[in-house]
Amino acid sequence: MSKIGNSSAGLTFRLPEFLNTYSALWVPVYLEPITFSGERITIGLVFRAIDGTIKVVNTLPLDALSKVFGNKGKDLHSLANFVLTSFDAHMRATQKFETFVPSVKGVFVGEAIETFDTDLESIIYQVRKNYSVFSALFVSG
């Protein structure tokens, strides 16, 4: 029993059971649009699910890039696709984030993070909506 004010109330609070048993490791992939500036944007997310599924997601919507970077937006989107296609091939061959070496200066791979949910698409949605500067566009459709 716990004393709350002048009354006694039982402590019946319990943490909810965590039923999400599907997990994935993922890493963010960053790019410095202005090399060596230190200002980075997340261009992609790379996932390796518990069942071995590999998924690479480009987080840069082309229409938004064109509005932000003008005629260079298409080039930036193509560069991101080039890097992510290379990372995808590397992951399918090795299953390892830490051994990927980008062939483009100004590309950085973040630390691997483990995430839990009910399936890979739920994990991708959860991570993408919380990790990309363009998340509002993604979440709203």
Side-chain angles (χ1 to χ4, degrees):
M1 298 291 264
S2 171
K3 193 77 166 166
I4 300 175
N6 290 331
S7 65
S8 293
L11 291 178
T12 59
F13 175 78
R14 287 182 33 200
L15 289 172
E17 289 186 36
F18 190 68
L19 300 177
N20 299 331
T21 58
Y22 193 87
S23 69
L25 287 175
W26 65 276
V27 294
V29 182
Y30 306 110
L31 173 72
E32 288 182 349
I34 302 170
T35 309
F36 305 115
S37 68
E39 184 176 359
R40 298 177 181 178
I41 59 173
T42 305
I43 62 169
L45 304 165
V46 181
F47 297 85
R48 184 181 70 219
I50 193 171
D51 64 5
T53 303
I54 302 295
K55 184 83 174 196
V56 178
V57 178
N58 186 328
T59 58
L60 301 177
L62 181 56
D63 55 337
L65 285 177
S66 297
K67 290 175 185 171
V68 174
F69 294 102
N71 59 1
K72 297 296 181 188
K74 186 175 181 181
D75 296 338
L76 186 56
H77 193 264
S78 294
L79 178 61
N81 279 336
F82 172 75
V83 169
L84 295 172
T85 299
S86 175
F87 207 152
D88 184 62
H90 173 81
M91 286 298 295
R92 291 181 191 285
T94 68
Q95 297 278 314
K96 297 181 181 181
F97 302 115
E98 60 276 3
T99 57
F100 177 68
V101 178
S103 57
V104 176
K105 294 272 187 210
V107 173
F108 304 89
V109 179
E111 295 294 320
I113 301 165
E114 187 173 16
T115 306
F116 297 88
D117 212 317
T118 56
D119 57 38
L120 185 57
E121 291 308 313
S122 298
I123 290 172
I124 291 170
Y125 178 80
Q126 173 194 142
V127 171
R128 189 170 184 183
K129 79 174 183 166
N130 292 316
Y131 216 82
S132 172
V133 71
F134 296 106
S135 63
L137 296 173
F138 171 74
V139 172
S140 68

